[in-house]
Amino acid sequence: MASLTAQRSRYMQIAQTLLSEIQGGAYPVDTLLPPETELSVQFGVSRFTMREAIGQLVRMGIVSRQAGVGTTVLRTRTAHVFRQVIDRLDDLQHYTAETQLRVLNRSVEEIRDPVIAACLGATPGQLWLQLDCVRRAGDPDLAPICHTRLYLHPAFRSLGGLGGHARRPVFSLIEEQFGERIVEVRQHLSASAMPRRQAGLLGVPAGSAALVVERLYINQRNEAIELAISTHPGSRYQHSQTFRRDY
Amino acid sequence: MASLTAQRSRYMQIAQTLLSEIQGGAYPVDTLLPPETELSVQFGVSRFTMREAIGQLVRMGIVSRQAGVGTTVLRTRTAHVFRQVIDRLDDLQHYTAETQLRVLNRSVEEIRDPVIAACLGATPGQLWLQLDCVRRAGDPDLAPICHTRLYLHPAFRSLGGLGGHARRPVFSLIEEQFGERIVEVRQHLSASAMPRRQAGLLGVPAGSAALVVERLYINQRNEAIELAISTHPGSRYQHSQTFRRDY
DNA sequence: AAGTGGTCTAGACCACAGG
DNA sequence: CTGTGGTCTAGACCACTTC
């Protein structure tokens, strides 16, 4: 990554120092950094310079800021060697633009699976919007590309625009209809045996290889607001990405 | 997309205006925007606010700035919205530096598979270093995490440092020993049935779900110099990534 | 009401690239 | 050398969250 080694500027030096202190345990994950004004006094710089330094950590994903709250430590490391995903969203856009989501079932209820509930930070009694969908390429006669199970935060359970022709990512519908802002996506890919139900919907044998893509969408407050679990027949889907080294 | 729609602030409004003007052809690609000082007069704001506005366009990849030169228009539409901050390999234990590669077989020969040869740009007669490996978590008694087939460009077929305890990525060994520089990685993930040979090495049933990760490493001259094809038991491995929005 | 980060001003000096 | 963007100061007010 753009290691903070070339620190000719004040704010870069301070960013490096703060990062070291965070990694040294001075500010544990999920706690707040001191206010900008206090830090600027500590380091003997103006608030502007202090903000630039913290801005570096924000860009690295180490901390997040929120007006009225403070600067929260998210993680202690950014172990990435390569950065900058080329055409990542373009791919996604193409993908969603040329396919359409069809909702098979829509319900508003508690999340039964305790693992998923924990992952979403759902508390007992919260009613989340849950959708069962299949995604098809243009031709509705062809077998679907994948099955997708969606979990949406109660605040967005009135989400509309899903009626058959949703050609845009669900997270962008949320952003548009509720003014929510997604700042982070966590993606997990794994291979597993195709479950019986999905096998039936997708027209492949139960137990055949399936690529499962889980995407967790996080807002500015570091809250999970959407989880999508997509199951693809291994024979029909490949996940491609290109990474470039950050100069 | 990259809608700058929530523009309550001055600099966001100005960024939107500038973007519209760029898209309208007022500032063609590869030309310079007026200097910050001039723009700040035009818009009637301080240079700081003007810089923030231009900073938005920089973060969107629309323009780039260079001291002593100016602000150059790169493109008229945004390319990428998310950038990757973390790419880690999750298995039951943590992958970080706690796994080691073991070479089962090493040969220098032509590439038989025409698809792979084409992918690597290998010409007939070229002898590539080909390695069959397994990767294990610390404990050598446990079953391996994955099987990896490596193809390395003839220029690097004398590659060393693979003797049993290679705890670093192979591409970084190449960079170190030959001064080569990797600038791009193309990654493909797919699910398939576990082949018989790999099944035996990994201790799982043939035909069970496998996650196949192919990584193609490209140098500065846009030449493929390494290809790694890793086959993981679906039950033992998960591929995780985190993306952050850049603005 | 108090305190946080978000925005903004009007200056200043510096590092860098070009002629 | 001139002019560019890069950094920095010392103030100010605002929007927001929490109590």
Side-chain angles (χ1 to χ4, degrees):
Chain A
M1 57 150 288
S3 58
L4 299 179
T5 41
Q7 311 123 356
R8 55 215 175 289
S9 55
R10 202 66 156 177
Y11 74 87
M12 279 297 231
Q13 293 170 0
I14 293 175
Q16 176 61 74
T17 298
L18 265 182
L19 181 56
S20 301
E21 291 178 358
I22 289 170
Q23 288 172 344
Y27 306 109
V29 169
D30 284 333
T31 64
L32 293 177
L33 254 48
E36 292 176 351
T37 47
E38 185 179 326
L39 283 174
S40 64
V41 171
Q42 280 187 22
F43 284 102
V45 295
S46 70
R47 190 180 155 218
F48 171 84
T49 303
M50 199 59 234
R51 273 182 67 75
E52 288 279 288
I54 297 172
Q56 284 296 311
L57 303 185
V58 171
R59 284 188 280 278
M60 286 189 283
I62 300 288
V63 301
S64 72
R65 296 191 272 210
Q66 194 184 353
V69 179
T71 305
T72 310
V73 178
L74 295 178
R75 52 180 74 84
T76 60
R77 275 173 300 174
T78 64
H80 58 270
V81 177
F82 290 89
R83 199 166 83 162
Q84 206 73 326
V85 181
I86 304 297
D87 290 336
R88 179 68 195 91
L89 193 70
D90 279 351
D91 282 351
L92 189 57
Q93 293 288 71
H94 271 107
Y95 181 65
T96 53
E98 293 168 7
T99 63
Q100 55 190 56
L101 200 66
R102 175 164 177 177
V103 179
L104 304 177
N105 185 41
R106 176 178 186 135
S107 69
V108 176
E109 57 186 326
E110 283 194 51
I111 295 176
R112 297 177 200 285
D113 187 322
V115 174
I116 290 176
C119 164
L120 287 168
T123 55
Q126 275 189 1
L127 304 185
W128 287 59
L129 172 59
Q130 302 182 41
L131 300 169
D132 250 324
C133 320
V134 289
R135 184 176 293 281
R136 285 174 205 278
D139 190 343
D141 295 333
L142 289 175
I145 295 172
C146 71
H147 168 269
T148 301
R149 174 106 182 139
L150 284 171
Y151 299 85
L152 299 170
H153 190 280
F156 317 115
R157 64 193 188 199
S158 67
L159 184 73
L162 288 163
H165 300 290
R167 287 167 179 271
R168 297 170 40 201
V170 171
F171 81 84
S172 80
L173 292 177
I174 294 178
E175 290 190 328
E176 186 178 292
Q177 293 178 33
F178 298 96
E180 188 71 30
R181 177 159 180 77
I182 305 294
V183 300
E184 188 170 313
V185 182
R186 294 186 195 141
Q187 179 171 272
H188 304 267
L189 295 98
S190 57
S192 68
M194 180 69 70
R196 189 168 310 280
R197 192 174 111 70
Q198 278 84 338
L201 290 168
L202 298 172
V204 293
S208 62
L211 184 67
V212 178
V213 179
E214 295 174 27
R215 285 204 182 93
L216 187 66
Y217 296 83
I218 315 283
N219 68 7
Q220 287 159 314
R221 301 180 204 169
N222 209 32
E223 298 164 339
I225 67 167
E226 180 193 341
L227 172 64
I229 303 178
S230 296
T231 307
H232 309 72
S235 55
R236 253 178 241 164
Y237 181 84
Q238 190 167 358
H239 192 87
S240 300
Q241 298 170 308
T242 298
F243 304 94
R244 273 201 164 261
R245 180 154 272 184
D246 186 26
Y247 299 97
Chain B
M1 68 167 260
S3 56
L4 296 175
T5 42
Q7 312 123 353
R8 56 211 174 293
S9 55
R10 203 65 156 178
Y11 75 86
M12 280 296 237
Q13 294 169 0
I14 293 176
Q16 176 62 75
T17 298
L18 265 182
L19 180 57
S20 301
E21 292 178 357
I22 288 171
Q23 288 171 344
Y27 306 109
V29 169
D30 285 334
T31 65
L32 294 176
L33 255 50
E36 293 177 350
T37 46
E38 185 180 327
L39 283 174
S40 65
V41 172
Q42 281 187 21
F43 284 102
V45 295
S46 69
R47 190 179 153 214
F48 171 85
T49 302
M50 200 58 235
R51 271 183 68 75
E52 288 278 292
I54 297 172
Q56 285 297 311
L57 302 185
V58 170
R59 285 187 280 276
M60 285 189 279
I62 299 289
V63 302
S64 73
R65 294 191 273 210
Q66 194 184 354
V69 178
T71 306
T72 310
V73 178
L74 296 177
R75 53 180 74 85
T76 58
R77 269 171 275 173
T78 61
H80 39 259
V81 173
F82 288 95
R83 71 193 163 92
Q84 176 168 2
V85 291
I86 294 174
D87 177 21
R88 65 177 191 279
L89 313 168
D90 281 353
D91 63 320
L92 299 181
Q93 291 87 19
H94 288 294
Y95 185 90
T96 48
E98 295 167 5
T99 64
Q100 52 190 58
L101 199 66
R102 175 164 177 181
V103 179
L104 304 178
N105 187 40
R106 175 179 187 136
S107 68
V108 176
E109 55 186 327
E110 281 194 51
I111 296 176
R112 298 177 200 285
D113 186 322
V115 174
I116 290 177
C119 166
L120 287 168
T123 55
Q126 275 190 0
L127 304 185
W128 286 61
L129 172 59
Q130 302 183 40
L131 301 169
D132 250 325
C133 321
V134 289
R135 183 175 292 282
R136 288 174 202 278
D139 190 342
D141 296 332
L142 289 176
I145 294 171
C146 71
H147 168 268
T148 301
R149 173 99 182 148
L150 284 171
Y151 299 86
L152 298 170
H153 190 279
F156 316 115
R157 65 194 187 197
S158 67
L159 185 73
L162 288 163
H165 300 290
R167 287 166 182 270
R168 299 168 39 201
V170 171
F171 81 85
S172 81
L173 293 177
I174 293 177
E175 291 190 328
E176 186 177 290
Q177 294 178 31
F178 298 95
E180 189 72 31
R181 176 160 176 82
I182 306 294
V183 299
E184 188 171 313
V185 181
R186 295 188 195 136
Q187 179 172 273
H188 303 266
L189 294 98
S190 57
S192 68
M194 179 69 70
R196 189 167 310 278
R197 191 174 113 71
Q198 278 84 339
L201 290 168
L202 299 171
V204 294
S208 62
L211 185 66
V212 178
V213 179
E214 295 173 27
R215 284 202 181 94
L216 186 66
Y217 297 83
I218 315 283
N219 69 4
Q220 289 158 311
R221 299 180 210 165
N222 206 36
E223 300 163 337
I225 66 166
E226 180 193 341
L227 172 65
I229 303 178
S230 296
T231 307
H232 309 73
S235 55
R236 249 177 244 167
Y237 179 86
Q238 192 168 3
H239 190 87
S240 301
Q241 299 171 307
T242 297
F243 302 91
R244 284 207 135 245
R245 189 160 261 181
D246 230 354
Y247 52 94

